[in-house]
Amino acid sequence: MEREKCWRAGRLNLSAVIVCMFLAFAAFPAKAFNVSYDQRAFVIDGKRRILISAGIHYPRATPEMWPNLIAKAKEGGANVIQTYVFWNGHEPRKGEYNFEGLYDLPKFVQLVSAAGMYLNLRIGPYVCAEWNFGGFPVWLRDVPGIEFRTDNEPFKAEMEVFTKVIVELMKERSLFAWQGGPIIMAQIENEYGNIEALYGAKGKEYVKWCANMAESLGAGIPWIMCQQRDAPPNVINTCNGYYCDGFKPNAPGKPTMWTEDWNGWFQNWGGTVPHRPVEDNAFAIARFFQRGGSFHNYYMYFGGTNFGRTAGGPFITTSYDYDAPLDEYGLVREPKWGHLKELHAVLMQCEDALMSVDDEPEYISLGPNQEAHVYTTSAHPEICAAFLANIDSRSSATVKFRGNEYELPAWSVSILPDCKTVVYNTAKVGAQATLISMKRSFPSSRSLDSVSLGASEVSSSGLVWEVQEESIGIRGNGTRTESSLVEQINVTGDATDYLWYSARFEVSKEDAEELKPKNGEAVLVLEAVRDALHIFVNGHIVGSASGSWFRVNQSITLKQGINEIALLCMTVGIQNYGAFLEKDGAGIKGTVEVRGLPSGTVNLTHSQWVYQVGLKGEELGFFTDSGSQSDSWVPVTSLPLEKPLIWYKTTFSAPDGQDPVALDLGSMGKGQLWVNGNHLGRYWTLSAPKQGCNGCDYRGAYFAEKCVTGCGELTQRWYHVPRAWLKEEANVLVLFEEVGGDPSSISIATRSPEAVCAHVSVTHPPPVSRWAVLRNSVNKHPKEALLPEVRLGCASWQQISKIVYASFGNSAGMCGKYSQGTCHAPLSRTVVETACLGRTFCSIPVSTLEFGDDPCPGLPKTLTVQALCRSPEELTAENLPGEDIVAHQGLYSSKWQRFEVVSERFSNQKLQSMYIDI
């Protein structure tokens, strides 16, 4: 009991969670248990179990974030954590292993154990994951004679060595289930079935070898393969996708498992932001368990951040938010987290019934697109669970089941843990919605009064900048000369994004004279380039381009005599998916020509090319502690705006409090950034297309482009700065800007819940937790004991400070902008204020009994509420905004603070600007 209280108390408070971990270690002694499986489910310590897994990738968060993420996954109803193992992070150089910092895998597994949860370890070691090179270390492609992911001896030897290193490390730390640890299953290979045919017979042999190699390592737990229809008998094949309710394993005796439920999607630079409606996600999950599933994993439950140069693709953003139940910063995303928590709770109420059926449940047709599946046995008919599904994507339906009528909304599943009572419907979202704010702070750690500054030296955000210029073209030592074009990754070893290609050619006096009427313009033609390119001619930038093996036709201005072409080629993450990854490359290939000269085309393809790996600033470590403190930084009297190849440096104070921190880089171009030497990743201010955001109906099959937002807006504007990487004062921010930006508008902000909303009707089911308590004694309680409820909660350090809107009736609108309907109970605000003001959490039954006389007899009614969340220091009468302001989503700004309020559910709608004093 004390342990459960601790988990609830530590919902969003990291220090409380850490205390809980110590309690958990005491509460969960290292007890060994066996893990096996049958045709129905995993059998853990002799009992079949429903397993609900939360995908969390340890290097996409800091170790300081891990306990809280795991705690929130557990609070959300998961009993398993799933993670990939990232080979390139653990063995960056052949034979040199790294299990520290973001890559402290043993610590992550131990924290899962401390939380009393199980772990699914997806070793791969190919992971895809939108991760650089799919998780392969780049040195692997240089092994003589190697071919990836096929019956190739050099590859198999390296793969076996790494897989064995991981298995042995887990054994040494006693982390497998039979040793008392949390690891109950491991994965070998990853989605190989999608590309296996391209490898022919050698691919089939490779699959068999993978299974036998994994089995030989003595992990003592089951092994799985996802998307592998020809998985050998000694491993379980599993499903990945948006829907897996029709999936069946490839042989008797294997359980039905869903290793990747894509509950969102990743973002590409220059693309829109995908969202998957929680109603559809819940529908897919309910259908999976309805039709015999037993293991389900969210990919992702927490997506996190692609720190450093870990983003793959190419062109995957630094943010890996994935529209997950926990957002990139680790905050709960509502209503997704809450609605799925209720689903997990009701599934666990059904566990005994679901696990009692050895094979298929009873199937009952209820209509043309309606059906029921019933789980019970003749030996124990009192243990019964039923799923009623309406797979019609347009119309609701009324069905009869066991003598009772049930209303099923379109594209929904109702779950009846006792085969009588609807305790959950996937389309009826009772969880609160949360509006999240980005609250700008005053970031400068220097006193502007104590420093003599030029007016342009101080940005509008109060930051003070210093600069260094990056060399254009070849800078001196460490060059390489070839009479041909080289493949970029072969030269850089992916130690940097950057490779300079430089060549010279002469323009005759005659050609120069004839070009004068055209202002000296010719055309530089590059046959194929990948991923991104900046073109410099005689020291001046003339153009930039990006794409996958794109063609360049760039107008250039030439002069008489020697002209220098300097091409800065950049990778934006190495390809992470597909066959023959080792053959993929980057840089410039094909031909390079200068066309339009009167004397004819100049072919530079086999000219003398000089190459230089990386940047001067990388070589000198401008972003490191020593490099950032060097006297080579130049204080500026005027910021060099919109200028390419500039290093910028400033310092700032950490914002007060415990809210997550972010940087607004919307005014910059393209580059990379570091805080206190920690590489936050790439930034790029590409905008999404203006078309395609056409609203979203959750009903009907989901696909990545179905429900997108952000049309015409920057794909990514905010960049997560983990609190663990900050000091109280004098934090050093370093940026390398490639194409030109305006650092004067960069600002620091904190992210926190700003307002919470609920919209619950009298037809909603009651909270699952309330039904569970009364399950065995429901006849002894009045009917009102199973009423639906509005439940509102702020962050653990906040309180509900103001009820912005409250109406029991037929309100219209959405969270952030409600309007009163024709039916409204006058006591609505009073009832809600009495229950909620000054509290962190509150609940109100949704019933006419709570609100006096029925305001509109015969009409269905809903309780709609919006409330403000404020920390104790903000709870003063003079700093609370009026209700007319917070009834909108918008940009709140004043002489003190500026907020950008973003609805988690409608996060990229056109925002309105308003000005208020906070």
Side-chain angles (χ1 to χ4, degrees):
M1 181 62 71
E2 288 302 312
R3 175 170 53 83
E4 293 302 323
K5 289 180 181 178
C6 184
W7 280 110
R8 288 196 295 272
R11 183 181 182 195
L12 290 173
N13 188 313
L14 181 58
S15 60
V17 170
I18 293 173
V19 171
C20 292
M21 289 300 174
F22 287 103
L23 291 175
F25 271 119
F28 292 97
K31 175 190 173 186
F33 57 95
N34 293 322
V35 179
S36 61
Y37 60 86
D38 59 20
Q39 77 283 0
R40 186 67 189 93
F42 262 56
V43 180
I44 298 177
D45 206 16
K47 181 181 179 181
R48 287 177 179 168
R49 294 299 311 274
I50 285 179
L51 297 174
I52 297 172
S53 174
I56 299 174
H57 296 160
Y58 50 96
R60 284 175 159 143
T62 62
E64 292 79 6
M65 294 173 66
W66 295 344
N68 209 18
L69 296 173
I70 295 166
K72 289 177 186 174
K74 177 170 180 159
E75 185 185 355
N79 54 10
V80 181
I81 298 294
Q82 181 196 89
T83 186
Y84 278 128
V85 177
F86 298 87
W87 189 355
N88 53 9
H90 292 300
E91 193 179 3
R93 289 164 294 280
K94 183 175 170 60
E96 298 180 19
Y97 294 99
N98 171 32
F99 292 97
E100 298 179 350
L102 299 181
Y103 294 97
D104 193 345
L105 173 61
K107 178 179 180 179
F108 181 78
V109 179
Q110 287 164 348
L111 287 170
V112 173
S113 181
M117 301 177 75
Y118 304 122
L119 188 103
N120 172 15
L121 193 67
R122 303 177 75 186
I123 300 175
Y126 166 72
V127 299
C128 184
E130 290 72 59
W131 191 261
N132 195 48
F133 210 26
F136 287 132
V138 174
W139 58 259
L140 192 66
R141 73 202 298 267
D142 298 326
V143 172
I146 200 163
E147 294 180 70
F148 289 9
R149 304 177 74 192
T150 188
D151 190 19
N152 171 267
E153 293 304 323
F155 177 76
K156 291 192 298 183
E158 297 294 347
M159 176 176 169
E160 182 170 8
V161 167
F162 178 74
T163 306
K164 186 174 183 179
V165 164
I166 297 300
V167 170
E168 290 302 315
L169 179 63
M170 299 299 103
K171 284 184 186 178
E172 289 170 12
R173 305 294 179 91
S174 298
L175 295 175
F176 288 111
W178 53 272
Q179 299 174 300
I183 303 174
I184 59 171
M185 69 182 84
Q187 180 176 301
I188 195 70
E189 250 301 340
N190 186 54
E191 297 186 329
Y192 187 70
N194 296 346
I195 61 169
E196 180 182 344
L198 298 173
Y199 291 95
K202 294 179 72 174
K204 291 186 175 298
E205 289 302 313
Y206 170 67
V207 171
K208 296 174 185 176
W209 173 84
C210 285
N212 292 331
M213 182 271 288
E215 194 75 18
S216 73
L217 299 178
I221 54 171
W223 287 85
I224 63 175
M225 281 184 175
C226 62
Q227 300 291 81
Q228 196 64 50
R229 292 300 303 176
D230 62 347
N234 54 338
V235 298
I236 307 167
N237 66 304
T238 69
C239 182
N240 292 355
Y242 292 119
Y243 305 94
C244 283
D245 55 289
F247 171 80
K248 295 297 178 186
N250 65 353
K254 297 180 181 181
T256 302
M257 302 177 66
W258 190 357
T259 38
E260 289 189 17
D261 170 9
W262 303 332
N263 53 286
W265 202 244
F266 56 87
Q267 294 173 231
N268 292 285
W269 295 115
T272 51
V273 182
H275 301 277
R276 187 177 185 188
V278 69
E279 297 94 332
D280 175 71
N281 201 179
F283 171 78
I285 297 163
R287 289 286 289 163
F288 175 72
F289 283 99
Q290 175 177 356
R291 300 181 68 186
S294 62
F295 172 93
H296 165 270
N297 173 71
Y298 290 98
Y299 190 100
M300 302 291 300
Y301 197 81
F302 163 80
T305 308
N306 292 315
F307 295 118
R309 300 175 55 253
T310 58
F315 307 117
I316 304 298
T317 58
T318 297
S319 171
Y320 198 67
D321 180 85
Y322 222 88
D323 198 38
L326 302 179
D327 73 13
E328 179 183 359
Y329 302 81
L331 296 179
V332 167
R333 169 173 277 120
E334 295 284 21
K336 183 167 277 192
W337 185 85
H339 191 51
L340 295 174
K341 176 183 179 179
E342 288 286 282
L343 173 59
H344 305 154
V346 75
L347 288 172
M348 288 304 176
Q349 288 293 311
C350 299
E351 184 176 37
D352 287 346
L354 293 176
M355 296 295 97
S356 68
V357 175
D358 291 331
D359 295 304
E360 296 290 328
E362 178 188 0
Y363 169 81
I364 303 171
S365 175
L366 301 176
N369 289 300
Q370 295 78 38
E371 59 188 24
H373 289 77
V374 182
Y375 288 84
T376 190
T377 63
S378 57
H380 295 283
E382 73 282 2
I383 300 175
C384 185
F387 296 76
L388 311 183
N390 181 10
I391 59 176
D392 191 309
S393 62
R394 295 187 178 184
S395 303
S396 62
T398 300
V399 299
K400 284 192 174 182
F401 173 72
R402 293 195 168 190
N404 295 316
E405 284 193 348
Y406 298 89
E407 181 72 20
L408 301 179
W411 203 253
S412 78
V413 177
S414 287
I415 303 178
L416 294 64
D418 59 359
C419 285
K420 294 181 293 185
T421 311
V422 174
V423 177
Y424 183 88
N425 179 271
T426 59
K428 294 186 176 182
V429 180
Q432 71 178 34
T434 303
L435 300 180
I436 300 293
S437 71
M438 285 296 193
K439 177 180 176 181
R440 299 177 191 275
S441 68
F442 294 101
S444 178
S445 64
R446 308 184 190 187
S447 170
L448 301 184
D449 295 334
S450 64
V451 183
S452 177
L453 302 172
S456 298
E457 194 176 341
V458 183
S459 71
S460 59
S461 61
L463 295 171
V464 181
W465 293 95
E466 298 174 90
V467 301
Q468 297 201 54
E469 293 193 12
E470 177 64 33
S471 302
I472 295 176
I474 305 305
R475 59 183 181 272
N477 297 329
T479 60
R480 167 180 173 176
T481 303
E482 300 279 352
S483 59
S484 62
L485 298 170
V486 300
E487 193 279 311
Q488 181 166 352
I489 301 171
N490 283 341
V491 177
T492 65
D494 197 42
T496 173
D497 277 3
Y498 306 102
L499 177 65
W500 283 104
Y501 292 65
S502 185
R504 295 182 174 187
F505 66 99
E506 186 172 3
V507 174
S508 68
K509 180 179 179 180
E510 293 75 16
D511 278 351
E513 287 295 325
E514 290 195 44
L515 285 174
K516 278 185 178 179
K518 297 191 295 183
N519 297 317
E521 283 193 359
V523 179
L524 176 67
V525 179
L526 309 178
E527 184 179 350
V529 184
R530 178 176 174 181
D531 299 327
L533 175 73
H534 301 318
I535 303 168
F536 296 83
V537 177
N538 298 323
H540 300 283
I541 190 166
V542 298
S544 300
S546 62
S548 181
W549 297 123
F550 58 93
R551 182 181 176 88
V552 172
N553 290 274
Q554 175 66 50
S555 295
I556 59 175
T557 300
L558 302 175
K559 64 181 182 179
Q560 180 183 333
I562 300 300
N563 289 262
E564 182 178 42
I565 304 292
L567 306 173
L568 182 57
C569 276
M570 295 155 289
T571 52
V572 191
I574 305 179
Q575 187 75 26
N576 63 262
Y577 179 77
F580 313 114
L581 287 179
E582 74 280 5
K583 295 178 172 56
D584 201 47
I588 303 171
K589 69 179 182 181
T591 59
V592 177
E593 297 176 340
V594 178
R595 298 178 182 175
L597 294 174
S599 60
T601 296
V602 177
N603 191 329
L604 298 177
T605 308
H606 297 290
S607 295
Q608 186 178 69
W609 287 92
V610 183
Y611 300 96
Q612 185 131 41
V613 174
L615 307 170
K616 178 186 74 174
E618 291 178 311
E619 183 182 329
L620 298 178
F622 286 173
F623 46 82
T624 63
D625 185 59
S626 58
S628 66
Q629 301 304 318
S630 70
D631 57 10
S632 58
W633 289 94
V634 179
V636 291
T637 57
S638 178
L639 280 170
L641 306 180
E642 308 303 332
K643 187 173 182 179
L645 305 192
I646 299 288
W647 292 83
Y648 295 97
K649 185 188 78 169
T650 190
T651 59
F652 65 94
S653 301
D656 293 336
Q658 55 185 310
D659 294 323
V661 179
L663 281 166
D664 179 1
L665 300 184
S667 63
M668 300 303 289
K670 178 181 182 295
Q672 300 183 43
L673 69 155
W674 295 259
V675 169
N676 295 329
N678 298 289
H679 195 175
L680 295 182
R682 303 179 181 97
Y683 66 85
W684 200 354
T685 50
L686 288 182
S687 294
K690 294 183 179 180
Q691 306 300 321
C693 299
N694 300 317
C696 180
D697 186 340
Y698 74 85
R699 300 172 300 178
Y702 177 78
F703 50 93
E705 297 78 27
K706 181 180 180 182
C707 300
V708 297
T709 58
C711 289
E713 300 175 10
L714 297 181
T715 299
Q716 184 172 354
R717 171 182 170 186
W718 298 97
Y719 293 80
H720 180 205
V721 185
R723 281 276 184 182
W725 290 355
L726 294 176
K727 302 175 292 183
E728 186 174 341
E729 299 285 343
N731 294 285
V732 179
L733 168 63
V734 174
L735 300 98
F736 174 62
E737 173 56 51
E738 298 171 12
V739 295
D742 179 5
S744 68
S745 296
I746 291 175
S747 61
I748 291 90
T750 55
R751 183 174 175 86
S752 63
E754 176 71 14
V756 292
C757 303
H759 188 75
V760 179
S761 76
V762 294
T763 64
H764 273 67
V768 176
S769 58
R770 182 175 294 279
W771 182 87
V773 169
L774 302 176
R775 180 175 187 178
N776 296 320
S777 56
V778 70
N779 292 329
K780 300 176 184 178
H781 293 264
K783 185 178 180 181
E784 289 72 23
L786 290 179
L787 290 173
E789 290 181 9
V790 157
R791 291 185 170 186
L792 297 175
C794 299
S796 62
W797 61 89
Q798 295 177 321
Q799 295 176 22
I800 296 171
S801 64
K802 189 179 185 69
I803 303 303
V804 176
Y805 182 87
S807 177
F808 181 67
N810 60 352
S811 294
M814 62 185 183
C815 186
K817 194 172 184 179
Y818 290 120
S819 60
Q820 190 170 300
T822 57
C823 172
H824 169 73
L827 292 178
S828 298
R829 180 180 293 273
T830 301
V831 171
V832 174
E833 286 181 341
T834 301
C836 297
L837 281 181
R839 294 178 170 87
T840 299
F841 301 98
C842 67
S843 64
I844 309 106
V846 181
S847 167
T848 305
L849 296 176
E850 296 292 319
F851 297 93
D853 294 335
D854 192 332
C856 41
L859 289 178
K861 286 165 282 293
T862 297
L863 176 57
T864 304
V865 181
Q866 180 174 326
L868 286 183
C869 294
R870 290 289 186 268
S871 59
E873 59 268 21
E874 295 175 301
L875 290 175
T876 59
E878 61 269 22
N879 69 8
L880 290 177
E883 61 186 74
D884 57 325
I885 297 296
V886 294
H888 297 79
Q889 304 178 86
L891 299 179
Y892 298 171
S893 59
S894 73
K895 59 187 178 182
W896 302 115
Q897 296 170 344
R898 186 169 180 240
F899 294 81
E900 176 161 329
V901 176
V902 181
S903 164
E904 285 294 5
R905 194 171 180 191
F906 308 100
S907 61
N908 285 286
Q909 293 187 353
K910 188 68 177 176
L911 303 180
Q912 302 176 34
S913 294
M914 282 169 269
Y915 295 86
I916 59 173
D917 284 335
I918 302 298

